[in-house]
Amino acid sequence: MRRSRAPEPATMVIFGVTGDLSRRKLLPAIFGLWQDGLLGSAFNIVGVGRQDMTDEQFKDYALKALQESKETDAIQPGSLEKFRELLYYEFGEFGEDDVYDLVGKELDRAQKAHGGRKNALFYLSTPPSLFEPISNGLGRLGLADQSEGWRRIVIEKPFGRDLDSARELNAAIHDTWDESQVYRIDHYLGKETVQNLMAIRFGNAIFEPLWNRGFVDHVQITAAEDLGLEGRAGYYEEAGIVRDMLQNHLMQLFALTAMEPPAAFDAEAIRDEKTKVLRAVKPIPSGRVGQVAVRGQYGPGSMDGEKVPGYREEPGVKSDSRTASYVAVKLEIDNWRWQGVPFFLRTGKRLPKKVTEIAVVFKRAPLGIFPGGLERNVLAFRIQPDEGVSLKFSSKSPGQEMVLREVVMDFRYDAFGAQLESPYSRLLLDALIGDATLFPREDEVDHAWQIVAGILEAWDTRPGKGRTPDFPNYAAGTWGPEDAEKLMGPDRRWRRL
């Protein structure tokens, strides 16, 4: 259905085009869409960067990135040469008007070359400190004006460092842009299984009646990473796990899992329901954090039989760093559907494997008539890797005796016989089309920051702020600190993935 909606002729302007995100993710995603015929011929890309290079040098750079990236689709004969013709580059400082004047001239050139209106999608693939200057620069030169074609701006995470800075950034952006023009991207929402969560729940009558406090015991949302810092110590020491993962990726998965059925499958209806869930979360003031949240930092350990350093031994990290690399939190929703049902969210680095999963854990049968007891049924959505859905239930084992054992009904996406699109491909096409369904709205971001504000305050790592954590408190290659298990309570446990 989505492929039947082709975007209008447009120019995509990527600020920070020579950065890591653009090289590894954006350029391969755009190339894949173009090669599949989803962008049409009247489309071109203007890269904007602070690295002095010519158009030809940028074309060489972009094609090399496509050839080296693991995200690039199979390259068809002649495709690279044709794609090369769509690429242009402008060099300048993002705080000066000259570079925005050059971008405006590129839009004029694209209009003359392709005809039609001057539609433009501006993608901010830059450090967060440049979001506001670029937004203001585009506004000063009139590039946000939609009188000659639509204009949209895509902003990467993190959107602010805390509640106050997020509100300040929103206010600054809205000085130039209407909220309908702003697309805050979270690539987790472009993953196929995340979207399938809504399809399975709302498209099947056997699931929705059970999706409430009467049948669900608890919900677990896990985003585990097996890697360490991978050279990102400068960013990570400033951000930490709460800002990097909990406030955005996990909070979005949580909202989609717990939301009420929307009135329609459109952007505003879905985002309305997600915001209602975030608004209903029981507040976590700093004094309550110790009861509902656990933090950790990995020490030396082993991964796949090889020894790896601890967080404090990573290049660029201080020997006494108090930055958390793991967080587990218990969220409670004060509404009719979920009252009394805890949602457990966890994410961390140097865990045994890379895996993201949403697991809806149902209550046990009310009467144990079978010997040996019964485990809880689980409906699990595997977001990465091996995307799919599984349902765990009990069944009689073959034989003379009534012995029950757990079995799993498993669905994998390769059953469709089609290759999964990259999340960025899905989200970029939606932004070009003007479909904001999978992009968090301003009030969603605000409420997500409100939920974690008390955690950030309680875990403030500045000198003289709070008690020094007993770090490291879990070894690399394990599933996190022991206190994370205690967070679950006496009758629950984290799933071993």
Side-chain angles (χ1 to χ4, degrees):
M1 181 174 67
R2 182 176 61 82
R3 290 181 180 271
S4 66
R5 300 180 296 158
E8 298 175 350
T11 297
M12 183 171 176
V13 182
I14 305 176
F15 289 90
V17 74
T18 58
D20 184 63
L21 174 65
S22 177
R23 183 177 66 256
R24 291 190 304 109
K25 300 290 185 179
L26 298 183
L27 289 173
I30 298 166
F31 175 75
L33 291 171
W34 173 83
Q35 189 172 237
D36 288 345
L38 298 176
L39 299 181
S41 58
F43 175 84
N44 62 290
I45 301 165
V46 177
V48 185
R50 294 184 289 187
Q51 183 175 334
D52 193 359
M53 64 172 74
T54 64
D55 277 354
E56 290 304 312
Q57 288 173 323
F58 173 60
K59 292 172 188 284
D60 292 340
Y61 169 88
L63 265 59
K64 182 180 179 182
L66 292 175
Q67 291 169 327
E68 294 178 349
S69 175
K70 297 179 181 178
E71 302 285 332
T72 304
D73 292 344
I75 299 174
Q76 300 170 8
S79 287
L80 288 179
E81 291 74 15
K82 293 179 182 178
F83 188 71
R84 183 187 180 95
E85 300 173 3
L86 310 180
L87 303 173
Y88 302 88
Y89 184 79
E90 295 296 347
F91 156 73
E93 291 296 326
F94 297 151
E96 300 176 1
D97 286 353
D98 291 352
V99 71
Y100 304 103
D101 184 53
L102 292 172
V103 169
K105 291 177 180 177
E106 288 285 2
L107 298 182
D108 292 337
R109 181 200 55 75
Q111 182 188 35
K112 293 176 182 177
H114 302 305
R117 309 175 74 199
K118 292 192 287 186
N119 301 320
L121 181 70
F122 302 102
Y123 198 111
L124 274 53
S125 179
T126 66
S129 59
L130 294 174
F131 292 167
E132 185 175 341
I134 294 174
S135 172
N136 292 341
L138 291 169
R140 285 195 305 272
L141 272 293
L143 297 180
D145 180 73
Q146 301 195 90
S147 59
E148 296 184 276
W150 57 255
R151 302 290 167 88
R152 300 173 191 135
I153 184 168
V154 180
I155 303 176
E156 270 284 348
K157 77 168 185 73
F159 196 90
R161 276 188 50 81
D162 51 29
L163 179 59
D164 290 340
S165 61
R167 287 176 172 174
E168 291 170 3
L169 179 56
N170 267 321
I173 288 173
H174 287 153
D175 285 342
T176 299
W177 307 85
D178 183 78
E179 175 64 20
S180 63
Q181 296 175 274
V182 181
Y183 288 67
R184 300 169 188 83
I185 193 167
D186 185 332
H187 74 274
Y188 266 52
L189 297 186
K191 294 181 181 292
E192 198 68 46
T193 312
V194 174
Q195 299 159 56
N196 207 21
L197 174 67
M198 290 188 285
I200 287 179
R201 179 182 167 189
F202 301 130
N204 297 280
I206 62 173
F207 292 121
E208 176 55 26
L210 309 181
W211 214 271
N212 56 60
R213 60 187 172 85
F215 298 92
V216 176
D217 180 81
H218 69 280
V219 177
Q220 297 183 26
I221 302 177
T222 298
E225 298 182 25
D226 56 353
L227 298 177
L229 296 186
E230 302 300 303
R232 300 172 67 228
Y235 161 75
Y236 206 83
E237 278 285 274
E238 287 292 320
I241 194 72
V242 174
R243 294 183 178 90
D244 186 52
M245 291 291 292
L246 178 62
Q247 184 274 334
N248 38 73
H249 296 329
L250 265 69
M251 212 59 71
Q252 286 295 315
L253 299 183
F254 161 72
L256 282 169
T257 305
M259 63 185 277
E260 293 292 324
F265 194 79
D266 61 42
E268 293 312 305
I270 290 173
R271 297 196 292 182
D272 283 346
E273 298 304 334
K274 288 166 60 185
T275 303
K276 289 177 186 178
V277 170
L278 297 174
R279 188 184 296 127
V281 171
K282 186 176 181 178
I284 307 176
S286 58
R288 185 170 170 259
V289 170
Q291 304 170 31
V292 298
V294 172
R295 58 177 159 169
Q297 184 189 87
Y298 64 86
S302 61
M303 304 287 299
D304 296 326
E306 296 184 6
K307 292 183 178 180
V308 295
Y311 182 87
R312 292 176 175 178
E313 286 80 52
E314 296 272 15
V317 176
K318 295 180 181 179
S319 59
D320 60 348
S321 173
R322 303 165 66 195
T323 302
S325 63
Y326 176 98
V327 61
V329 62
K330 174 184 175 182
L331 299 182
E332 300 165 278
I333 305 174
D334 286 334
N335 68 11
W336 193 268
R337 180 183 293 270
W338 295 116
Q339 188 66 38
V341 178
F343 283 70
F344 297 98
L345 284 60
R346 64 171 170 170
T347 181
K349 289 187 172 296
R350 284 298 187 202
L351 301 181
K353 62 167 67 173
K354 179 180 178 67
V355 58
T356 302
E357 180 195 79
I358 300 169
V360 180
V361 183
F362 294 93
K363 293 181 178 181
R364 288 191 175 93
L367 184 61
I369 62 174
F370 300 103
L374 296 175
E375 289 295 319
R376 296 184 176 98
N377 304 134
V378 179
L379 179 62
F381 297 83
R382 294 188 305 275
I383 296 169
Q384 64 177 3
D386 303 324
E387 293 90 340
V389 184
S390 66
L391 177 63
K392 185 181 77 173
F393 57 97
S394 297
S395 178
K396 180 185 177 298
S397 179
Q400 295 295 324
E401 298 182 6
M402 178 59 73
V403 178
L404 272 62
R405 57 183 283 186
E406 293 179 0
V407 294
V408 176
M409 187 181 296
D410 205 25
F411 156 72
R412 293 170 58 116
Y413 272 92
D414 54 20
F416 286 114
Q419 182 180 354
L420 295 181
E421 290 181 311
S422 79
Y424 277 99
S425 293
R426 165 71 195 238
L427 295 173
L428 285 174
L429 185 56
D430 281 355
L432 287 164
I433 291 171
D435 184 349
T437 303
L438 300 177
F439 295 84
R441 201 169 56 192
E442 175 188 7
D443 49 355
E444 284 184 63
V445 174
D446 191 273
H447 283 291
W449 276 118
Q450 289 184 48
I451 292 170
V452 304
I455 298 174
L456 291 173
E457 181 182 348
W459 291 353
D460 195 330
T461 60
R462 290 176 295 174
K465 295 285 185 179
R467 183 179 67 84
T468 302
D470 185 18
F471 285 161
N473 59 356
Y474 72 97
T478 64
W479 280 105
E482 292 182 4
D483 285 347
E485 291 292 342
K486 299 176 183 177
L487 184 68
M488 300 290 289
D491 193 36
R492 302 185 180 107
R493 64 181 185 273
W494 288 109
R495 282 167 54 79
R496 291 291 182 248
L497 305 174

